[in-house]
Amino acid sequence: MLANVVLSTLVVCIPSTLLAVLIGVFAGYFIKVKRFKYRKVLIRIVYTLSGLPPVLAGLLIYILLSRKGPLGFLDMLFTKWAMIITQVILIVPIVMLYTLSGLKNIDRVLENLDYLNIKGRKRYTAIMKEYSKEIMYAIVLGLSRSISEVGGVLIVGGNIEGSTRILTTAIIFEITKGEFSNALMLGLVLLAISFTFNTILQILQGDVFD
């Protein structure tokens, strides 16, 4: 049971985090470097959505994917796909917000790239290399949000044993049964996974011992 719950947790959290970081970083970069009408309004919306209650996100996805909803034909409700979509919606605004604040001196970096006539793929590669630490931190931030989320995924996943039950929803299930020792054990496993992910990312970044 535990192995299956851990595996389900990883299957949901890793893809949702990577997808959210991919969307959030590029969207945040675009808003940071471009000047367009209603840009400040969009930034305020991002700030607002970064605090989106998970249960509200879960409710909205539930309505969309329910049989009578506009996307009911996809038959994705109470599946891992629905859980991943919910987590992406929750994580993207947080990553965007971090990207907006993390891209310090981006104008100077872009000016240097223009001066060196670096364009196309090499340009984006140079930007990613310059802000590699910020991207790593965005991944850590996304993973932390993803692995600790419970309200939204509980609504759209249904906490189905052997299918959509992950560590956070399993903890809630054990608490409702009064099995607090089991809930605590699952919580420790959750912390261990989070610690492992963060350590690996810090090692890749090269600052684990700083």
Side-chain angles (χ1 to χ4, degrees):
M1 173 187 172
L2 178 59
N4 187 58
V5 171
V6 171
L7 180 60
S8 294
T9 301
L10 298 178
V11 168
V12 170
C13 292
I14 294 177
S16 61
T17 298
L18 294 178
L19 183 58
V21 169
L22 183 64
I23 296 172
V25 167
F26 279 99
Y29 170 81
F30 178 83
I31 296 175
K32 182 72 174 182
V33 302
K34 300 295 183 179
R35 297 294 181 268
F36 52 89
K37 194 175 182 180
Y38 303 122
R39 175 176 175 270
K40 292 184 178 180
V41 175
L42 182 57
I43 292 176
R44 285 197 291 270
I45 292 174
V46 172
Y47 269 91
T48 302
L49 293 179
S50 66
L52 180 67
V55 291
L56 178 56
L59 176 60
L60 293 174
I61 298 301
Y62 183 95
I63 293 172
L64 288 174
L65 297 180
S66 62
R67 289 185 180 276
K68 295 182 179 180
L71 300 179
F73 65 93
L74 295 175
D75 197 26
M76 291 173 58
L77 191 61
F78 302 132
T79 67
K80 291 185 177 70
W81 285 111
M83 299 167 73
I84 290 172
I85 292 171
T86 302
Q87 290 205 343
V88 168
I89 290 174
L90 290 169
I91 299 171
V92 165
I94 296 175
V95 175
M96 288 179 65
L97 193 60
Y98 179 80
T99 302
L100 286 170
S101 62
L103 291 178
K104 299 175 181 177
N105 303 319
I106 184 64
D107 292 334
R108 179 179 58 81
V109 172
L110 294 177
E111 288 177 1
N112 291 337
L113 292 175
D114 289 336
Y115 178 77
L116 297 172
N117 197 29
I118 298 177
K119 299 180 179 180
R121 184 180 299 178
K122 290 184 178 180
R123 183 183 183 90
Y124 290 109
T125 301
I127 294 173
M128 291 181 65
K129 186 176 180 181
E130 176 70 22
Y131 294 100
S132 60
K133 180 172 290 188
E134 284 74 14
I135 293 174
M136 283 293 184
Y137 287 159
I139 294 175
V140 171
L141 197 63
L143 270 174
S144 298
R145 171 73 177 203
S146 176
I147 206 168
S148 62
E149 210 292 295
V150 59
V153 294
L154 183 61
I155 293 174
V156 301
N159 196 26
I160 302 172
E161 185 176 0
S163 177
T164 60
R165 181 167 297 172
I166 60 177
L167 282 167
T168 50
T169 59
I171 290 173
I172 296 297
F173 181 69
E174 294 297 331
I175 291 175
T176 58
K177 293 194 303 179
E179 299 289 346
F180 297 106
S181 59
N182 290 341
L184 182 59
M185 183 268 293
L186 291 171
L188 293 175
V189 173
L190 190 65
L191 285 175
I193 293 175
S194 180
F195 179 81
T196 301
F197 276 136
N198 291 336
T199 301
I200 291 173
L201 289 171
Q202 284 184 327
I203 290 174
L204 292 174
Q205 189 59 39
D207 61 356
V208 67
F209 297 117
D210 287 358

